[in-house]
Amino acid sequence: GTCELAAGIISEAVARSGLPPGMFSMLQASGHEAGLALVKHPLTAAVAFTGSLRGGRALFDAAAARPEPIPVYAEMGSVNPVFILPGAAAARAEDIAEGFVRSLNTGVGQYCTSPGMVLAVGGPAFERFIIAVCKNASRVPPAAMLHAGIQKAYDSGTERLSSIPGVSLAAEAPRRAGPGLAACKIFTADAALLRQRPELFEEVFGPCTVVFRCRNTAQILEIAGDMPGSLTATIH
């Protein structure tokens, strides 16, 4: 509905400005077929996309397979790592935790820049950070995601994390009555697990994150070198 309202305003502005009426249009669809059809159409000259890695790659492949390939500019989902160095953790673990949980839950975790991974060195400061993160996360009320498909993918993603040996659920926002509500979930794991389970580098879209306990800063750097690209990264 929001898209329809915005499209109406843009169409009205086009008409008032005396511009060609076909210069803007909007197509609503529930599946991927419409998007792929637009990318494959011979009159399409370029593609811009925001969404999942899988969706973006599908459009990219379709554009590349055309008789005349066209450029695709894609902003796709990513894990957006947060690195907390020992000095910052010792000085302000609780403050970092508060800001982190707030960022994780902005828009029910549905921002492309939502932080899905934390790397920090184990020790007293790390434990303070975890306690503060769990405390803040448990206060976040579950909320509705954009639609049932995104909610289903979030539930599936968090279930997948829970099933990985060595990944523990440290905190979960209390659920309220009612379907289709996403609860903030905080997982923890040893950083060595990333080498064994590279799928932990994949985004779970929604208010969910994994906090990894590292041996030292050298291990943080080593893992950073193994990471695929992300839209954002944060260093404290």
Side-chain angles (χ1 to χ4, degrees), residues 83-125:
F83 303 94
I84 306 174
L85 300 182
R92 49 195 177 89
E94 290 80 8
D95 288 342
I96 294 172
E98 182 181 352
F100 171 77
V101 172
R102 192 162 58 244
S103 178
L104 177 64
N105 287 278
T106 299
V108 201
Q110 295 170 108
Y111 276 55
C112 292
T113 54
S114 184
M117 169 188 286
V118 182
L119 293 154
V121 176

Side-chain angles (χ1 to χ4, degrees), residues 18-214:
L19 296 168
M23 72 173 296
F24 172 83
S25 60
M26 185 183 72
L27 176 64
Q28 293 271 38
S30 58
H32 301 296
E33 294 80 8
L36 285 170
L38 287 170
V39 172
K40 293 175 181 178
H41 195 284
L43 293 180
T44 301
V47 177
F49 171 81
T50 298
S52 70
L53 187 62
R54 185 174 64 178
R57 281 179 169 163
L59 295 179
F60 181 87
D61 291 343
R66 288 168 44 121
E68 291 187 23
I70 57 173
V72 176
Y73 304 94
E75 182 189 273
M76 297 177 286
S78 60
V79 76
N80 304 312
V82 176
F83 303 94
I84 306 174
L85 300 182
R92 49 195 177 89
E94 290 80 8
D95 288 342
I96 294 172
E98 182 181 352
F100 171 77
V101 172
R102 192 162 58 244
S103 178
L104 177 64
N105 287 278
T106 299
V108 201
Q110 295 170 108
Y111 276 55
C112 292
T113 54
S114 184
M117 169 188 286
V118 182
L119 293 154
V121 176
F126 180 90
E127 298 305 324
R128 282 170 44 217
F129 174 76
I130 286 289
I131 289 169
V133 164
C134 292
K135 181 180 176 182
N136 283 284
S138 65
R139 294 172 175 167
V140 178
M145 300 189 83
L146 284 171
H147 58 74
I150 290 179
Q151 177 73 52
K152 184 178 179 182
Y154 177 69
D155 291 340
S156 175
T158 54
E159 286 170 14
R160 175 177 57 81
L161 285 176
S162 298
S163 70
I164 298 175
V167 176
S168 303
L169 180 63
E172 180 178 5
R175 285 191 176 275
R176 295 188 312 225
L181 296 178
C184 177
K185 294 187 179 183
I186 308 296
F187 294 90
T188 59
D190 189 276
L193 195 61
L194 284 162
R195 278 285 169 91
Q196 304 164 31
R197 305 297 294 257
E199 67 267 31
L200 287 168
F201 284 119
E202 296 173 10
E203 177 193 35
V204 174
F205 191 66
C208 161
T209 198
V210 184
V211 183
F212 290 94
R213 182 184 290 100
C214 300

